[in-house]
Amino acid sequence: MRKENVVDGVQNAPHRSLFHALGLTEEEQKRPLIGIVSSYNEIVPGHMNIDKIVDAVKLGVAMAGGTPIVFPAIAVCDGIAMGHTGMKYSLVTRDLIADSTEAMALAHGFDGLVMVPNCDKNVPGLLMAAARVNVPTVFVSGGPMLAGRVEGKKTSLSSMFEAVGAYNAGKLDDEKLKEYECKTCPTCGSCSGMYTANSMNCLTEALGMGLRGNGTIPAVYSARIELAKHAGMVVMELLRKNIRPRDIMTKEALMNALTVDMALGCSTNSMLHLPAIAHECGVELNLDIANEISAKTPNLCHLAPAGRTYMEDLDEAGGVYAVMNELTKKGLLNTDCMTVTGKTMGENIAGCVNLNPDVIRPVENPYSETGGIAVLKGNLAPEGSVVKRSAVLPEMLVHKGPAKVFDSEEEAQAAINAGKIVAGDVVVIRYEGPKGGPGMREMLNPTSAIMGMGLGNSVALITDGRFSGATRGACVGHVTPEAASGGMIGVVEDGDIISINIPENTIELKVDADVLAERMKNFVPKQKELSGYLKRYAALVSGGASGAILN
């Protein structure tokens, strides 16, 4: 046990004196020390209830014979950070979370960990930390928000952003916008569609690192408190059996997660986070593998923003395990993978039936025979780019049009609001990648504005930045190499024809090769004046195609 380093023996008497200063009895010091990583704060709606989850975890740990000790992790609300400088600080927190959790866990000799994350970069950051620290660990999230309701129809945060686009287009008045504002996000929890937070919490189940319901039980349900108590008990069983994160997050488990990703139609951000988690586990997971898995994995769910079902509906339909059980009918999962239950994935999902074929399509009747995410390559993105295929209208799966080029999200947003984007255009937003942003901002404002203005069936958008899980439409992100690294997206000019073919996984700049060669020869990427953490991050970060990991 790691507590031997800080508790046992004469040489650790000074350490024990400090544990007494914490009010820990001798009995508590003799038990396994379980760190509970609390992401509670009062600025992220998905985290405001985590104090209750943490209390339940503490009780579960204590009931099972451990000593629970809480320490914090940070989190950024992507919705509140959206559309301004704050979004530069979203993705970058993933590494801050991983680094700080590693430091706290190893500095204090914890025997096991319970991670309590919820929103966006918080979940992958803690999964990365779990792989690094590699002590018995279980995850229990804060849970998803219930869907809002406007005029009897369910809504989510993507509805709110699109309402702003409709308002700017004169399709929505002040009163209706206010109604959306007050009713779209009715409870605490991670926003109610299959956005990044819910994607990653669901994939934590698929990886085997969270208990059943981790991704889907709504934040306000008492069942989540029960789940948290069980998580506290389970970590003690993992400790007894010495089952560790790298025993669970194997290559096969990561392939399972990627397969479930395709079936659920998760956020494109999973294509950043799964490779980064795999990297910490010593496993290579590249974008080429994603297309191979997508080609054979049916898309079974169209949760918001792709459709009109929400996380609460997925939970009622049987949750992630029911989706996984459907996938086993085609032999698409490795069911021998170990999980935090101490059982194999096959044992976990046995008997977890699909209770609503309108929410989880049977494998015999999928939304599509291929997965919800596609990786596109071509001269414009030789190392890859990513699109949420399941959220693209059929008429936009193949699109060719003239480029309208912008060197920042703000410039693009101003042009969209001013009506300068017309049917057929391909909006290009560059210098927003991991290095060029820096921080790879999400482009939910411009994509939502395009949809809200009624241009979703005629306008595409490409960027070296990324998208929110709430984005829908022909939106291609993670273009790599990015402009700041000398990528071809940096030499696209207004009027250049761009061809996007999602079924064929291609994205091409239709400009004569000699012209492109001359442009690239003379291309000097723009540089930004940076300071603080963003300066260090930009100097270390890799491209989006490799998960934006820090070198």
Side-chain angles (χ1 to χ4, degrees):
M1 292 216 181
R2 287 182 178 268
K3 76 178 182 67
E4 294 171 356
N5 297 328
V6 295
V7 174
D8 298 344
V10 173
Q11 72 279 4
N12 285 327
H15 303 67
R16 291 195 295 275
S17 71
L18 292 168
F19 279 112
H20 282 296
L22 290 168
L24 292 180
T25 65
E26 289 185 10
E27 292 82 359
E28 287 175 300
Q29 292 180 43
K30 290 176 182 177
R31 295 174 178 178
L33 303 180
I34 306 299
I36 302 175
V37 186
S38 171
S39 302
Y40 169 77
N41 63 52
E42 295 183 340
I43 188 61
V44 184
H47 291 236
M48 61 182 285
N49 66 315
I50 280 179
D51 56 340
K52 309 296 189 300
I53 305 296
V54 167
D55 286 345
V57 172
K58 289 174 68 176
L59 186 56
V61 169
M63 286 193 296
T67 297
I69 302 175
V70 179
F71 65 88
I74 63 168
V76 164
C77 177
D78 279 24
I80 295 173
M82 195 72 65
H84 59 94
T85 300
M87 183 45 70
K88 295 178 185 289
Y89 288 91
S90 171
L91 178 60
V92 305
T93 63
R94 185 186 71 182
D95 296 276
L96 285 174
I97 291 162
D99 292 349
S100 58
T101 303
E102 173 194 355
M104 287 292 288
L106 295 179
H108 298 105
F110 289 108
D111 297 305
L113 298 169
V114 180
M115 307 291 197
V116 190
N118 210 21
C119 290
D120 291 18
K121 314 313 165 293
N122 186 238
V123 186
L126 290 180
L127 283 165
M128 291 162 67
R132 290 186 198 172
V133 178
N134 203 36
V135 298
T137 302
V138 64
F139 278 65
V140 56
S141 76
M145 183 184 292
L146 292 178
R149 281 172 172 78
V150 176
E151 296 181 338
K153 295 180 180 179
K154 289 183 178 181
T155 61
S156 59
L157 186 64
S158 53
S159 310
M160 185 68 248
F161 276 89
E162 289 179 18
V164 173
Y167 178 86
N168 288 334
K171 297 180 178 182
L172 215 63
D173 61 19
D174 290 322
E175 185 177 351
K176 184 57 66 176
L177 183 67
K178 185 69 174 180
E179 184 179 0
Y180 270 97
E181 181 183 329
C182 294
K183 295 181 177 179
T184 293
C185 298
T187 74
C188 64
S190 49
C191 296
S192 57
M194 188 53 80
Y195 309 144
T196 305
N198 293 325
S199 295
M200 294 309 302
N201 282 323
C202 287
L203 295 184
T204 299
E205 283 190 60
L207 278 170
M209 289 296 293
L211 300 175
R212 183 182 182 184
N214 176 70
T216 60
I217 297 173
V220 294
Y221 284 12
S222 297
R224 184 150 293 273
I225 299 296
E226 295 182 38
L227 185 74
K229 291 176 184 175
H230 283 129
M233 297 180 214
V234 162
V235 75
M236 295 301 297
E237 189 63 25
L238 290 175
L239 187 60
R240 281 187 279 273
K241 294 180 177 178
N242 195 28
I243 298 173
R244 300 169 182 247
R246 285 185 221 156
D247 300 325
I248 295 171
M249 292 192 287
T250 61
K251 181 177 181 179
E252 292 75 19
L254 285 154
M255 294 300 107
N256 280 350
L258 193 49
T259 301
V260 174
D261 185 330
M262 298 300 173
L264 285 172
C266 290
S267 164
T268 52
N269 283 313
S270 63
M271 292 295 98
L272 282 174
H273 302 321
L274 286 176
I277 296 162
H279 176 75
E280 299 293 347
C281 297
V283 176
E284 183 181 357
L285 186 68
N286 59 42
L287 295 186
D288 293 328
I289 295 172
N291 266 353
E292 290 175 21
I293 290 179
S294 181
K296 60 185 180 183
T297 306
N299 177 224
L300 305 181
C301 298
H302 266 194
L303 287 93
R308 295 187 178 277
T309 53
Y310 297 81
M311 295 306 297
E312 63 204 60
D313 302 312
L314 178 60
D315 187 61
E316 291 171 9
V320 176
Y321 278 16
V323 173
M324 296 182 79
N325 211 10
E326 286 290 338
L327 293 172
T328 60
K329 296 175 183 178
K330 293 189 71 174
L332 293 172
L333 297 177
N334 185 317
T335 55
D336 294 328
C337 292
M338 180 52 61
T339 72
V340 291
T341 66
K343 299 177 180 179
T344 66
M345 186 58 75
E347 291 174 300
N348 286 349
I349 66 176
C352 296
V353 297
N354 180 0
L355 300 175
N356 189 341
D358 292 328
V359 176
I360 304 170
R361 289 274 187 95
V363 288
E364 302 85 9
N365 181 35
Y367 282 102
S368 67
E369 294 291 343
T370 53
I373 289 176
V375 174
L376 313 185
K377 287 190 174 183
N379 66 350
L380 197 49
E383 294 177 20
S385 60
V386 181
V387 62
K388 189 171 184 174
R389 172 167 42 197
S390 59
V392 179
L393 293 169
E395 59 267 38
M396 290 299 291
L397 289 170
V398 178
H399 181 76
K400 183 184 291 186
K404 293 280 182 69
V405 184
F406 305 96
D407 286 347
S408 70
E409 178 190 0
E410 288 84 357
E411 291 176 27
Q413 187 67 47
I416 295 168
N417 292 346
K420 295 180 180 179
I421 305 303
V422 298
D425 283 347
V426 178
V427 177
V428 178
I429 306 178
R430 61 195 181 193
Y431 292 103
E432 291 288 7
K435 187 179 295 291
M440 206 178 186
R441 287 195 290 179
E442 291 183 345
M443 301 292 147
L444 183 55
N445 277 341
T447 60
S448 298
I450 288 169
M451 297 301 296
M453 290 177 169
L455 294 171
N457 62 350
S458 59
V459 170
L461 187 150
I462 70 169
T463 180
D464 53 11
R466 61 192 177 94
F467 298 116
S468 165
T471 286
R472 63 189 178 107
C475 302
V476 183
H478 307 197
V479 171
T480 312
E482 61 179 291
S485 296
M488 191 166 288
I489 191 173
V491 301
V492 179
E493 297 181 0
D494 284 338
D496 286 350
I497 300 300
I498 294 175
S499 174
I500 300 167
N501 191 317
I502 296 172
E504 294 186 4
N505 300 318
T506 61
I507 181 167
E508 294 284 340
L509 181 59
K510 296 296 185 179
V511 174
D512 185 81
D514 291 339
V515 174
L516 287 180
E518 187 64 22
R519 288 186 193 175
M520 292 297 288
K521 178 182 173 183
N522 298 315
F523 177 40
V524 178
K526 293 183 178 181
Q527 301 293 323
K528 295 179 180 177
E529 288 292 327
L530 301 172
S531 61
Y533 180 52
L534 291 182
K535 184 174 183 178
R536 282 183 282 137
Y537 184 86
L540 297 173
V541 71
S542 68
S546 57
I549 60 173
L550 298 187
N551 293 313

